[in-house]
Amino acid sequence: MPVTSAGILLFRRSPALQVFVAHMGGPFWAKRHEQAWSIPKGLLEGDESPRVAAMREFAEEIGVPAPSVDYVDLGTVRASSGKVLHVFAGEAPDFEVAELRPGTFEMEWPPRSERTAEFPEVDQARWADVAEARTLLVKGQLAALDRLEAHLAAV
């Protein structure tokens, strides 16, 4: 059974399509820009539904609840590692984050030091035009942008 995460892909049309993305925190991503951003997401816990997990993880990673808007299920995308991400998209033209307050994680740092350090789950979050988001997001999440654009073209 693959590891499954769920995430929220917020979007707005102002006038071009923009999506809300987050730069992954921690030392591995610190000096990377392209392909170092993500849809705010995280692992499902126990028997929780993907939608519930997506909402919980958005709040944990960004520090504020996901906006109360209608969400469409974009289905799942798969990373090269085999990890599955279930994506829900919602139009939130007025969503802004005054202060990023991400959750944290611990890891051994520096490697093989036997010392543990704490890092933010994300260290930046912002709106990006879809073209820019295609260079920022990790490759496995690009299909979510395709699905979002297809959904918007169909409605």
Side-chain angles (χ1 to χ4, degrees):
M1 188 72 136
V3 174
T4 303
S5 294
I8 299 289
L9 180 60
L10 297 180
F11 67 92
R12 67 183 182 189
R13 302 173 240 205
S14 62
L17 181 61
Q18 295 182 325
V19 291
F20 189 77
V21 295
H23 185 267
M24 294 181 275
F28 181 75
W29 303 103
K31 295 184 180 181
R32 298 176 184 208
H33 184 68
E34 292 185 355
Q35 298 178 351
W37 294 68
S38 177
I39 295 166
K41 54 134 180 68
L43 296 173
L44 276 67
E45 293 181 356
D47 63 350
E48 83 183 328
S49 73
R51 183 182 166 108
V52 168
M55 300 300 272
R56 175 183 51 74
E57 285 291 339
F58 186 95
E60 287 178 13
E61 290 204 344
I62 304 303
V64 297
S68 295
V69 299
D70 291 331
Y71 288 91
V72 61
D73 186 340
L74 296 180
T76 61
V77 297
R78 185 176 298 266
S80 58
S81 66
K83 187 175 182 179
V84 172
L85 172 60
H86 200 125
V87 181
F88 298 88
E91 187 166 11
D94 299 325
F95 180 78
E96 294 295 339
V97 176
E99 178 185 353
L100 187 64
R101 295 185 307 262
T104 59
F105 67 95
E106 289 185 353
M107 66 180 281
E108 181 182 18
W109 190 257
R112 297 175 293 287
S113 67
E114 297 184 14
R115 290 185 292 169
T116 301
E118 188 173 49
F119 300 96
E121 291 188 55
V122 301
D123 55 24
Q124 298 176 58
R126 66 178 178 86
W127 289 101
D129 290 340
V130 169
E132 180 187 17
R134 288 187 182 284
T135 68
L136 297 176
L137 286 175
V138 292
K139 286 183 181 180
Q141 295 179 11
L142 296 179
L145 297 179
D146 296 337
R147 290 187 189 164
L148 174 63
E149 288 181 313
H151 168 75
L152 294 175
V155 292

